[in-house]
């Protein structure tokens, strides 16, 4: 029996450690038959080391999503390893320290603009750079978000950036539909990743999530979110776009004290 992504070519951004959601997506995509190319930012040697822990070592290409030069070079760098792309995972987010944990009102525009550029605008930038690689038959863009419908402890301007990401996803779904490209987001619950550890006070969410989520919640299990990403990249969701799939144990669906 063939896998969900048999024969597909997938670009995965955001692998930092083997605890990254992106790493779990890359691993599961390979297990489901895909050829995977990773991107790395900064010290590529670290990503290359992590890439060797995949079922099949994956190539790593440099990509700073805020760099016009890197984005312009993306198609040629990808073509060194595959002849096109059927799926793209956006697993990128960054905000300066003043945007996280500190009083919301204290963050200067220079820092906020950095957060929005790296975490929101990059969603559009990434798929725009990848467009020459996507065949006429279409493809799938999947991004990772953290439910932006509420104001969370400590999340502050990253929450604003994620709200922008969720809105951008709808507009990309509208504009990319003519190219048969689906754009969807996976809203995962809190997970103990490097990104989460950088947010002061994020432990408040970790402590509250499991007791309230109807299905419970494992802070160390990236598999559920990874499976949703892989499913959305597969041919099993041919008419789904502009959607946000919650993979949070059902936390988003219940009110305070509902259980």
């Amino acid at each position: 029996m063939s896998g969900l992504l048999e024969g597909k070519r997938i670009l995965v951004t955001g692998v930092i450690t083997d605890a990254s959601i992106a790493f779990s997506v890359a691993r599961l995509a390979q297990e489901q038959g895909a050829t995977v190319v990773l991107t790395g930012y900064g010290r590529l040697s670290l990503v290359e080391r992590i890439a060797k822990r995949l079922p099949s070592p994956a190539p790593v290409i440099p990509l700073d999503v805020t760099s016009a030069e890197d984005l312009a070079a993306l198609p040629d760098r990808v073509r060194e390893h595959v002849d096109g792309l059927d799926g793209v995972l956006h697993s990128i987010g960054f905000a300066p320290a003043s945007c996280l944990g500190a009083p919301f009102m204290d963050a200067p525009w220079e820092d906020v603009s950095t957060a929005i550029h790296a975490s929101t605008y990059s969603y559009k930038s990434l798929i725009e750079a990848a467009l020459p690689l996507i065949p006429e038959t279409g493809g799938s863009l999947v991004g990772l978000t953290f439910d932006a419908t509420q104001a969370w402890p400590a999340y502050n301007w990253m929450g604003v950036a994620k709200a922008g990401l969720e809105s951008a996803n709808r507009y990309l779904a509208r504009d990319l539909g003519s190219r048969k490209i689906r754009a969807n987001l996976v809203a995962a619950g809190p997970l103990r990743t490097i990104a989460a550890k950088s947010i002061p006070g994020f432990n408040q969410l970790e402590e509250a999530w499991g007791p309230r989520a109807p299905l419970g919640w494992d802070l160390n299990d990236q598999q559920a979110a990874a499976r949703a990403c892989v499913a959305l990249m597969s041919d099993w969701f041919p008419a789904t776009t502009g959607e946000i799939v919650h993979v949070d144990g059902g936390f988003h669906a219940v009110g305070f004290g509902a259980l």
Side-chain angles (χ1 to χ4, degrees):
M1 181 177 178
S2 61
L4 281 178
L5 299 182
E6 192 68 37
K8 293 193 181 297
R9 303 150 299 177
I10 306 296
L11 182 70
V12 175
T13 67
V15 171
I16 302 174
T17 72
D18 54 8
S20 304
I21 299 174
F23 179 85
S24 291
V25 173
R27 179 174 58 196
L28 185 58
Q30 286 188 344
E31 291 172 351
Q32 292 297 317
T35 300
V36 171
V37 177
L38 305 179
T39 72
Y41 171 66
R43 297 178 62 185
L44 289 188
S45 60
L46 296 179
V47 183
E48 290 168 347
R49 188 184 311 160
I50 297 299
K52 293 177 182 177
R53 300 180 186 176
L54 292 168
S56 299
V60 180
I61 62 175
L63 177 63
D64 173 358
V65 287
T66 66
S67 164
E69 292 77 12
D70 275 13
L71 290 165
L74 180 69
D76 287 341
R77 287 172 174 168
V78 170
R79 288 191 187 102
E80 292 177 8
H81 307 285
V82 292
D83 58 358
L85 291 174
D86 304 290
V88 176
L89 178 75
H90 179 278
S91 181
I92 298 169
F94 171 76
S98 68
C99 295
L100 297 163
F104 181 80
M105 297 285 286
D106 288 357
W109 167 243
E110 291 76 14
D111 289 353
V112 171
S113 64
T114 296
I116 292 174
H117 191 180
S119 309
T120 307
Y121 190 77
S122 64
Y123 191 54
K124 172 263 187 188
S125 299
L126 178 62
I127 190 60
E128 183 177 35
L131 280 178
L133 298 161
I134 298 177
E136 292 183 1
T137 52
S140 176
L141 169 65
V142 178
L144 289 165
T145 188
F146 189 76
D147 189 351
T149 60
Q150 302 183 60
W152 300 104
Y155 211 45
N156 294 2
W157 285 99
M158 182 58 86
V160 175
K162 290 297 187 184
L165 176 69
E166 294 177 8
S167 181
N169 183 64
R170 292 186 285 271
Y171 283 97
L172 285 174
R174 182 196 68 183
D175 287 5
L176 295 175
S178 61
R179 290 283 305 266
K180 299 180 182 178
I181 298 172
R182 295 167 284 126
N184 295 289
L185 298 176
V186 171
L191 293 164
R192 287 181 177 151
T193 62
I194 292 292
K197 290 177 181 178
S198 68
I199 303 173
F202 204 67
N203 62 308
Q204 296 178 58
L205 293 177
E206 295 179 341
E207 293 168 0
W209 213 274
R212 178 170 149 183
L215 294 176
W217 185 248
D218 186 345
L219 296 163
N220 299 299
D221 182 14
Q222 291 81 21
Q223 280 298 302
R227 288 187 178 195
C229 293
V230 167
L232 287 168
M233 288 184 183
S234 77
D235 295 331
W236 282 90
F237 284 87
T240 299
T241 194
E243 188 59 86
I244 301 174
V245 178
H246 288 82
V247 182
D248 63 354
F251 184 100
H252 74 284
V254 298
F256 178 76
L259 296 181

